[in-house]
Amino acid sequence: MRKIRWLLWIFLLLAGWVVPAAVQAASAMTLVVNGKEVKPDVPPQIINKRTMVPIYFAGEAYGAKVEWDRQTGTVTIDNRAGKVIRMQPGKKTAYVNGKAMTLEVAPMIVKDRAFLPLRQIGEWLGATVGWDAASNTVIINNKKTIAVNGNPLTQAPVYQLPYGHFVKVNDVAKPLGYEVKTEAKKVILEQGAEKYTIGQASAAQSNGYRLIDGTFAVTPEFLSQVIGAKADWNEEKTACTLDKLQYITGISRTDDGISIESEGKMTYSHFTL
């Protein structure tokens, strides 16, 4: 009887390691991949406040080849473009093209399924990953680019939802010279005599801001309507340009050269003749 009790305690300890108390189902979560909702047959899990998905979904989301060697307990992700990630359940060390990297949450085995950390794997594979709290949606898409008045914003992520592409307000408004403020759940853009107020978008809409990763984000098309700019996407919907003309209001000579005044903040370049 004593031996049976010891075996029972050992089993409970092992079970606690495989499926910790921090694991909870996230069946109400929506997963959007490249603008389309995807419903895996096994619901995602929340582990230590991180979203975990079954390994096959990682392949579907990122277009990668995913394999799980049950004998060695090794998960291999090959993005088919020269990047290979290897990791093992229960271990926070992963190897990206042979280089050791640290995972925030180790892969886990839940009900005989291997689950991987969604965001970190996605970022390693070059995807854009975000979280829309209002709709309880995880966003995953191939990287897209945006340029403001001809200047590419290399550090500005673009999130693709079924109802539009969203960019962070600060990323696109500040290069246009606007000061961004928040007041009573409103986003306010100010520049000189210009002042625009943006409210929160309702449901699955793009007519306002959405909180993505806790930051105000809007579509370039909606922002262009608000401030009188122009937003254009290329045919493949991989690159967007947002342009707003700033008009010169005065030119005068000074002791140091020429002074040019405009209706708003302008960017400039100079060269020597």
Side-chain angles (χ1 to χ4, degrees), residues 60-108:
E60 185 174 355
Y62 310 128
K65 179 182 177 182
V66 182
E67 295 179 340
W68 178 22
D69 187 332
R70 292 174 181 267
Q71 291 185 340
T72 63
T74 301
V75 176
T76 302
I77 303 174
D78 185 346
N79 74 343
R80 310 172 196 268
K83 183 169 286 186
V84 178
I85 302 172
R86 289 187 173 86
M87 64 195 80
Q88 291 181 310
K91 296 182 180 180
K92 284 191 174 183
T93 300
Y95 295 89
V96 181
N97 286 352
K99 182 180 179 180
M101 306 285 283
T102 302
L103 290 159
E104 293 177 352
V105 178
M108 303 296 295

Side-chain angles (χ1 to χ4, degrees), residues 247-264 266 268:
Y247 295 97
I248 295 174
T249 57
I251 301 177
S252 59
R253 294 188 64 178
T254 67
D255 293 339
D256 297 325
I258 298 176
S259 174
I260 300 176
E261 297 177 354
S262 67
E263 64 176 7
M266 300 180 71
Y268 66 91

